[in-house]
């Protein structure tokens, strides 16, 4: 787990997210440009996922959680989530929030396993939250 190095990482980060979310790469580029931080997950020096977020006051809002599909279901997210939560605490974060699409049951199950709860439902998304 490490911080993003834009010139080194961005092509891989953009490609991973654009293919998974089926959006134009410019959508991901804009998210990365607005981020307070991006935490990169590597396996043997290869970028396999990342969390893109913004911090305001004592709240961290997750914009993107991306994991290479070949790594899904192998406990990767659970393994590095505690380190990410500790990193957030050191930055003064007290609460982590994000949006999950209502029909993305896999992501919702992963976040619940990590201690997040649903705080509010919108038309197509759910606001999830975890207090640190």
């Amino acid at each position: 787990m490490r911080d993003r190095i834009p010139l080194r990482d961005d092509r891989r980060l953009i490609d991973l997210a654009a293919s998974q979310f089926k959006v134009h790469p410019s959508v991901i580029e804009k998210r990365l440009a607005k981020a307070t931080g991006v935490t990169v997950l590597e396996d043997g020096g290869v970028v396999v996922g990342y969390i893109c977020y913004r911090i305001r006051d004592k709240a961290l809002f997750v914009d993107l959680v991306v994991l290479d599909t070949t790594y899904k279901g192998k406990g990767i997210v659970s393994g590095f989530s505690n380190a990410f939560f500790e990193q957030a605490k050191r930055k003064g974060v007290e609460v982590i929030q994000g949006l999950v699409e209502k029909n993305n049951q896999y992501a919702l199950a992963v976040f619940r396993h990590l201690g997040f709860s649903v705080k509010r439902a919108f038309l197509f998304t759910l606001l999830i939250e975890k207090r640190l």
Side-chain angles (χ1 to χ4, degrees):
M1 186 173 92
R2 62 171 176 79
D3 290 334
R4 161 186 168 221
I5 303 167
L7 291 175
R8 177 175 146 192
D9 296 326
D10 281 7
R11 181 55 28 215
R12 173 74 172 146
L13 303 182
I14 292 165
D15 290 346
L16 264 177
S19 65
Q20 283 189 25
F21 299 126
K22 297 178 180 29
V23 298
H24 192 273
S26 65
V27 173
I28 306 305
E29 289 171 359
K30 288 176 186 172
R31 290 276 176 110
L32 290 171
K34 292 180 180 179
T36 301
V38 178
T39 299
V40 174
L41 178 63
E42 291 181 318
D43 181 32
V46 176
V47 174
V48 298
Y50 66 98
I51 297 176
C52 176
Y53 57 89
R54 291 172 284 144
I55 297 175
R56 184 178 299 147
D57 299 321
K58 296 182 183 223
L60 183 150
F61 188 84
V62 175
D63 287 313
L64 294 169
V65 176
V66 182
L67 184 65
D68 187 313
T69 55
T70 59
Y71 289 83
K72 286 188 176 178
K74 296 184 180 182
I76 300 288
V77 172
S78 294
F80 102 102
S81 62
N82 287 335
F84 181 77
F85 297 152
E86 288 303 314
Q87 178 187 56
K89 281 184 194 178
R90 286 192 301 275
K91 293 180 180 185
V93 171
E94 294 178 0
V95 64
I96 298 176
Q97 296 180 319
L99 293 173
V100 176
E101 290 184 16
K102 284 183 179 178
N103 64 354
N104 191 343
Q105 294 302 308
Y106 175 79
L108 190 55
V110 169
F111 281 112
R112 282 191 168 136
H113 176 74
L114 298 175
F116 286 79
S117 58
V118 174
K119 288 299 175 189
R120 186 170 180 193
F122 299 100
L123 188 58
F124 299 108
T125 58
L126 301 168
L127 176 65
I128 58 169
E129 179 178 286
K130 177 182 177 72
R131 296 228 164 248
L132 298 180

